[in-house]
Amino acid sequence: MKSTRTFITCFVVCSMLLLAFSNIFSRHPSDLDPPNVTTTGNHENPRDTLQGGLLAKSFDQKSCLSRYQSSLYRKPSPYKPSIALISKLRSYEKLHKRCAPGTESYKRATENLHKLSHGSGEQCQYIVWVPLSGLGNRILSLVSVFLYALLTERVILVDQRNDINDLFCEPFPDASWLLPLEFPLTNQIDRFNWRSPRSFGNMLKHHRLINNSSIKSFQTSYLYLHLVHNYGEYDQMFFCQGDQSLIRKVPWLIVKSDNYFVPSLWSLPSFQSELTKLFPKKDTVFHHLGRYLIHPTNQVWGLVTRFYNAYLSRADERLGIQIRVFHHAGFLQLVLDQVVSCTQREKLLPEAQEEEVNISKKTTPKLRAVLVTSLNPEYSNNLKRVYWERVSSTGDVIVGVYQASQEMHQQRNKKLHNQKALAEMYLLSLADNIVTSAWSTFGYVAQGLGGMKPWILYKPENYTVPDPPCGRATSMEPCFHSPPLYGCEADTGGTDDSLKIASPFVRRCEDRVSGIKLFDHPQEL
């Protein structure tokens, strides 16, 4: 009897152990907590997976792991979205669901696409975003177009022919933002430019307007908006109040842009009041809308989490250094010298010396992980050598230098290249501090997603390291590189004085004197 009971007991215990191991190994990776993630959250202060209410609750988490897992890798944002913005996003989601592809509203709107329109009676209006230029520019222009859609109650649809599905998850619940491939204008979109007959600037230039009871409007069902860096004075009239009244009556807008044109939207009187309600803190526009809209696909998120867990998660501090050298394909020693000078001068990295430093055995050095993103491997390799062959001057910091990819050349239309680029932007945004290159949209995206004011590496002149080598940005907003040069009602010439009159929160960029960006406290500038 004793042996029988012993056998039964052992059998039950073994069965329970086998069942437990079976449950562990049969679970989907998304069901497990991400390994080796350093978080500040606890039971009393759990992670905010909905990011202050920005995100809707109604998504299947497994279909897009980054949407809700990102809060496990990033510190909580100190910038909370306004109640007005949250309400606006929920209202937009309802509008998108009602008008999205597959609905009767969309069907009617596409059927009327080739009919003359006087802007009357359409229930759903649309704006189609067409990807242009590199990934950083695309993300900036996408966020800009989405903000314009929010302000004008249009439904944003994105041209899906350039691997958008491989980069970003669907951002809106229960409805797609992808423009169907059978869209009637698909075969014409690539040929649209500022010379096109339906170009807004071209129609404005040639007075293709109609008068109806003293109200001017375009007699067209769609307009092409050319908001690219080389746009002309008539295209730039898009940012004028009177012309916005014309555009508002057109059911379909097709947009090509490589710019972050948000600052100029603040100059439009009809938008200023609502923008102020949506974004009481003015320099959080990209921070909030980027985190709402940009969610890497599971494949890209895998690149992010695997690298983070392997190299960054155990660090006490994380520093991101983004290096982009324009008009030069190879390694430049002066750029490395500038990076070292900047990071040591600003106490982001310790100075290194040849001699060993006497360290108390009781002292545990801190690990500072440095993520370098660059097309070239030489910058990270040389920086790594500096801290491998030498020690920090105080001896209390160990520096580890890492680089995720080394692509050598930008390849704008290559799927894996863009996926790696998005992963690196996201990894940079997880850092505690960030150093970026002047003019780089890649860096703008990372600083905006992370809610950081970067140290900007100034552009070298005459092949010498600038003095100072870098400066701290006073705003985390991206720069609008190509703002309008012409005034709407008078020839203002785009001077600083005219900018102050248009919006007190718009100033020149720190890294590009011809560009403009949003700041939060104009009285402090």
Side-chain angles (χ1 to χ4, degrees), residues 203-329:
M203 295 189 76
L204 198 64
K205 181 178 180 180
H206 294 95
H207 307 289
R208 294 173 182 167
L209 305 172
I210 62 170
N211 290 309
N212 184 10
S213 301
S214 300
I215 299 176
K216 291 183 178 180
S217 63
F218 290 110
Q219 192 175 13
T220 180
S221 58
Y222 72 91
L223 274 177
Y224 165 63
L225 304 177
H226 188 78
L227 303 181
V228 187
H229 65 277
N230 63 350
Y231 59 168
E233 59 180 305
Y234 286 98
D235 297 302
Q236 294 176 16
M237 299 294 280
F238 169 82
F239 297 107
C240 297
Q241 184 61 56
D243 298 280
Q244 276 298 315
S245 299
L246 294 173
I247 294 171
R248 186 177 290 272
K249 301 177 177 68
V250 181
W252 286 88
L253 302 178
I254 316 294
V255 184
K256 287 183 183 178
S257 176
D258 55 0
N259 275 308
Y260 183 72
F261 57 79
V262 166
S264 285
L265 296 180
W266 285 75
S267 301
L268 289 160
S270 60
F271 295 158
Q272 285 178 359
S273 176
E274 185 168 10
L275 282 169
T276 301
K277 293 177 183 177
L278 297 178
F279 304 100
K281 184 168 174 50
K282 309 304 182 294
D283 65 344
T284 60
V285 177
F286 184 87
H287 179 60
H288 290 320
L289 295 186
R291 290 187 304 145
Y292 172 78
L293 206 62
I294 305 301
H295 304 289
T297 59
N298 286 354
Q299 185 174 359
V300 177
W301 188 239
L303 298 176
V304 173
T305 56
R306 287 192 293 273
F307 187 90
Y308 185 95
N309 291 330
Y311 301 107
L312 306 180
S313 62
R314 296 172 182 83
D316 297 290
E317 296 178 17
R318 285 167 283 274
L319 172 66
I321 301 177
Q322 182 262 331
I323 301 174
R324 177 63 194 273
V325 181
F326 295 93
H327 312 304
H328 192 282

Side-chain angles (χ1 to χ4, degrees), residues 355-371:
E355 299 82 7
E356 289 290 340
V357 178
N358 292 325
I359 307 173
S360 170
K361 292 183 179 180
K362 296 181 181 179
T363 302
T364 302
K366 290 185 177 181
L367 174 59
R368 191 167 299 178
V370 180
L371 169 65

Side-chain angles (χ1 to χ4, degrees), residues 129-139 141 162 190 192 224 226-230 255-259 412-413:
W129 173 77
V130 182
L132 196 68
S133 195
L135 184 60
N137 297 76
R138 294 181 184 187
I139 293 175
S141 69
N162 288 44
D190 292 336
F192 284 167
Y224 165 63
H226 188 78
L227 303 181
V228 187
H229 65 277
N230 63 350
V255 184
K256 287 183 183 178
S257 176
D258 55 0
N259 275 308
R412 292 178 177 174
N413 294 317

Side-chain angles (χ1 to χ4, degrees), residues 101-158:
T103 63
E104 283 299 317
S105 297
Y106 175 82
K107 181 181 178 181
R108 285 196 305 271
T110 52
E111 288 174 348
N112 294 331
L113 195 54
H114 290 295
K115 297 179 181 179
L116 292 180
S117 171
H118 296 263
S120 59
E122 289 291 344
Q123 289 188 343
C124 295
Q125 292 189 310
Y126 299 84
I127 185 165
V128 176
W129 173 77
V130 182
L132 196 68
S133 195
L135 184 60
N137 297 76
R138 294 181 184 187
I139 293 175
L140 296 181
S141 69
L142 176 59
V143 170
S144 303
V145 172
F146 177 62
L147 176 59
Y148 182 75
L150 285 181
L151 294 172
T152 57
E153 297 185 344
R154 289 182 180 270
V155 173
I156 184 172
L157 298 176
V158 301

